[in-house]
Amino acid sequence: MADGNSETKSSNQMWGGRFASGPDAIMEEINASIGFDKKLYGQDIRGSIAHATMLAHQGIISTDDKDKIVHGLNTILSEIESGQFEFSRRLEDIHMNIEARLATLIGPAAGRLHTARSRNDQVALDFRLWVKEELQRTEKALTGLIAAFLDRAEEHAETVMPGFTHLQTAQPVTFGHHCMAYVEMFGRDRSRVRHAIEHMDESPIGAAALAGTGFPIDRHMTASALGFAGPTRNSIDTVSDRDFALEFLSIAAIAATHLSRLAEEIVIWSTPQFGFIRLSDAFSTGSSIMPQKKNPDAAELVRAKTGRINGSLIALLTVMKGLPLAYSKDMQEDKEQVFDAAESLELAVAAMTGMVRDMTIRADRMKAAAGSGYSTATDLADWLVREAGLPFRDAHHVTGRAVALAEQKACDLADLSLEDLQSIHPSITAKVFDVLTVEASVASRTSFGGTAPNEVRKQIAWWRARN
Ligand code: ARG
């Protein structure tokens, strides 16, 4: 076609209106990661300073060039932190943006920084450092959430509430005991975080493109300068590996699942029908049309964040699953998933910590509910086994008849008269009333890990010593 204009027009039509200059623009857009990997600027600069320092120490570059590089990198760090740095999409990613700016600042010495490394080990390093730091933040946040639960558990070691199975009243427990169940869950999350920090505590830098390098580098030196326990042992694996990101996302998904179950309980407990808790104004909203309402929005949003976090895990697993060794550009898609999940998890833990600390426990409502639904029926059966020598299956049957009678009389088990009970089984004595109250039921569950207040206090002490 002779007419240049119509040529442009036809490629526009082919590539789509947004891409004014055709395939180049599409390539730039699909290829660039600067929009999200600029988050890694601090890790990238730290990694480069460690690398340059090692190169000079090994005599691979001159001390003079190293000094220029380090000075230039520190300048870039303050430019980025003060918002003066201009990120360019044409320069693709954070690594090239920083290197290009370094060249402008210090000239040819900048070109020596990339000796004995590749963007493949560079990005593996930067991202690993970021994930490690995020895990350290997660560990702290979980510790805060556990502390909030320990305080509430201590305060409510004696507050009785119904324990549920199938969300049907099962046996009375204490609110303190219920809180401690969450301490166990978030405690496991935290130990997974700690293990993951140990797993990933190896430095990728020096693996180069995939095969290592012929330059006499010292990978132990860069590893220790960057706070790693040591260098990774296989250069091919090093640039192919995103297990640290997958581990982060798996841990985040499990923790989010725990948060979501808690969120669900908060939603249920705060309904007028349950009325076990009252959320503080800070973590609820009113309705624009129904003045009586107080909605548990923060809990609902925590519950929803779980969907995003699980989605991120599945997304990255899927990105990684068919990749041949070593690096492929697919792996650039790792970061947004991790960044998004990290932000969601941080927010969810913070919101939950606030809600747990702020919510009002309505002990009267919990107690009333604890006694309803014949929640001490198991205590009656256990009493018949212990005091009247019945086999448990028979005791279960006798108790069933007592429940039926109470139902017929529309009263609780403890409100049946001794005559009523004796009409069901003659060996029942007045002493049975000692176990039919919810307090007695709870106090009797003294097995290790059980709901008796003293047992719960022991578990609180165990956790306090480890939090
Ligand atoms: N932006 C890239 C990423 O995040 C950096 C590594 C690029 N390596 C390469 N060989 N093109 O994965």
Side-chain angles (χ1 to χ4, degrees):
M1 222 177 283
D3 182 343
N5 262 342
S6 63
E7 217 165 83
T8 314
K9 207 173 169 197
S10 71
S11 65
N12 268 348
Q13 276 156 1
M14 254 180 105
W15 302 110
R18 278 184 64 213
F19 302 99
S21 42
D24 289 358
I26 298 178
M27 181 54 190
E28 189 180 299
E29 181 146 346
I30 196 168
N31 201 35
S33 53
I34 190 64
F36 48 89
D37 69 13
K38 59 179 161 201
K39 224 186 175 80
L40 299 176
Y41 73 89
Q43 289 76 11
D44 195 72
I45 289 173
R46 256 191 293 143
S48 289
I49 290 176
H51 183 66
T53 306
M54 181 278 293
L55 290 177
H57 184 263
Q58 297 298 99
I60 301 167
I61 65 171
S62 70
T63 305
D64 192 39
D65 282 345
K66 183 261 291 178
D67 290 342
K68 283 189 192 135
I69 289 170
V70 171
H71 186 260
L73 287 169
N74 281 323
T75 307
I76 293 170
L77 183 64
S78 45
E79 286 177 353
I80 295 177
E81 287 186 337
S82 62
Q84 290 166 282
F85 192 92
E86 269 184 43
F87 292 100
S88 151
R89 201 172 71 167
R90 254 181 311 107
L91 292 165
E92 246 184 85
D93 57 23
I94 186 64
H95 324 295
M96 313 258 261
N97 268 267
I98 289 177
E99 203 181 313
R101 177 67 185 142
L102 190 63
T104 314
L105 285 173
I106 69 168
R112 299 196 186 277
L113 171 61
H114 215 53
T115 313
R117 84 173 180 187
S118 144
R119 269 191 298 156
N120 297 351
D121 58 341
Q122 192 178 354
V123 72
L125 169 68
D126 295 0
F127 195 30
R128 199 183 275 238
L129 280 172
W130 192 91
V131 172
K132 190 176 152 190
E133 286 156 25
E134 182 60 27
L135 282 168
Q136 285 158 346
R137 282 190 284 275
T138 309
E139 185 184 1
K140 265 212 199 94
L142 288 171
T143 298
L145 179 56
I146 291 170
F149 268 119
L150 288 173
D151 288 348
R152 298 316 304 254
E154 191 133 47
E155 197 186 319
H156 291 284
E158 316 231 357
T159 303
V160 289
M161 70 179 280
F164 300 95
T165 61
H166 315 266
L167 197 55
Q168 307 285 326
T169 303
Q171 294 172 342
V173 295
T174 66
F175 183 65
H177 195 207
H178 199 102
C179 286
M180 292 306 289
Y182 282 103
V183 167
E184 296 289 335
M185 289 150 84
F186 295 121
R188 284 194 295 274
D189 291 329
R190 190 177 55 180
S191 67
R192 272 186 280 275
V193 166
R194 287 174 179 159
H195 282 139
I197 292 173
E198 269 175 46
H199 272 157
M200 73 179 58
D201 203 16
E202 293 175 341
S203 169
I205 195 74
L210 83 164
T213 174
F215 289 101
I217 59 171
D218 182 348
R219 293 192 57 207
H220 293 272
M221 181 177 172
T222 37
S224 86
L226 292 164
F228 287 106
T232 54
R233 284 168 306 281
N234 181 302
S235 59
I236 298 176
D237 175 53
T238 302
V239 292
S240 324
D241 169 37
R242 291 296 181 271
D243 287 6
F244 59 94
L246 289 171
E247 275 195 59
F248 171 77
L249 290 171
S250 314
I251 292 167
I254 298 175
T257 300
H258 293 155
L259 289 164
S260 184
R261 295 180 76 172
L262 172 59
E264 173 68 7
E265 296 210 301
I266 287 178
V267 169
I268 294 173
W269 291 343
S270 61
T271 56
Q273 289 75 9
F274 265 76
F276 286 4
I277 60 168
R278 203 175 292 113
L279 285 172
S280 72
D281 289 347
F283 290 103
S284 46
T285 60
S287 157
S288 53
I289 179 162
M290 297 162 281
Q292 84 284 10
K293 289 197 78 180
K294 193 163 175 177
N295 297 326
D297 296 41
E300 293 169 302
L301 288 163
V302 167
R303 194 170 55 183
K305 296 277 182 208
T306 312
R308 286 174 79 129
I309 295 174
N310 289 353
S312 292
L313 170 62
I314 299 303
L316 187 56
L317 283 169
T318 311
V319 165
M320 296 303 295
K321 71 173 265 296
L323 295 188
L325 307 186
Y327 179 85
S328 296
K329 196 62 173 266
D330 310 50
M331 289 159 72
Q332 177 165 287
E333 294 277 316
D334 54 4
K335 292 167 209 64
E336 285 163 294
Q337 302 302 338
V338 169
F339 292 157
D340 187 78
E343 197 179 312
S344 300
L345 186 66
E346 269 182 51
L347 197 53
V349 173
M352 268 308 172
T353 308
M355 269 183 273
V356 169
R357 284 215 175 276
D358 277 16
M359 66 191 180
T360 307
I361 308 306
R362 302 179 67 189
D364 54 329
R365 297 282 309 223
M366 286 188 180
K367 186 178 166 178
S372 73
Y374 309 107
S375 66
T376 56
T378 318
D379 298 273
L380 174 56
D382 286 348
W383 187 91
L384 288 163
V385 169
R386 228 178 24 244
E387 307 293 326
L390 267 64
F392 184 78
R393 283 295 162 216
D394 296 348
H396 186 279
H397 182 75
V398 169
T399 305
R401 288 178 51 209
V403 168
L405 183 62
E407 236 165 12
Q408 198 189 316
K409 300 197 160 198
C411 69
D412 284 339
L413 280 177
D415 300 328
L416 290 174
S417 68
L418 185 58
E419 294 74 57
D420 285 341
L421 289 166
Q422 284 174 339
S423 75
I424 294 167
H425 201 280
S427 51
I428 295 178
T429 68
K431 277 216 244 139
V432 77
F433 293 106
D434 292 349
V435 303
L436 293 184
T437 65
V438 285
E439 285 81 3
S441 167
V442 155
S444 73
R445 306 256 189 263
T446 53
S447 55
F448 186 85
T451 204
N454 280 339
E455 198 49 44
V456 171
R457 286 194 184 99
K458 273 186 220 159
Q459 302 305 339
I460 295 173
W462 190 90
W463 275 104
R464 285 230 188 264
R466 286 160 183 80
N467 202 44

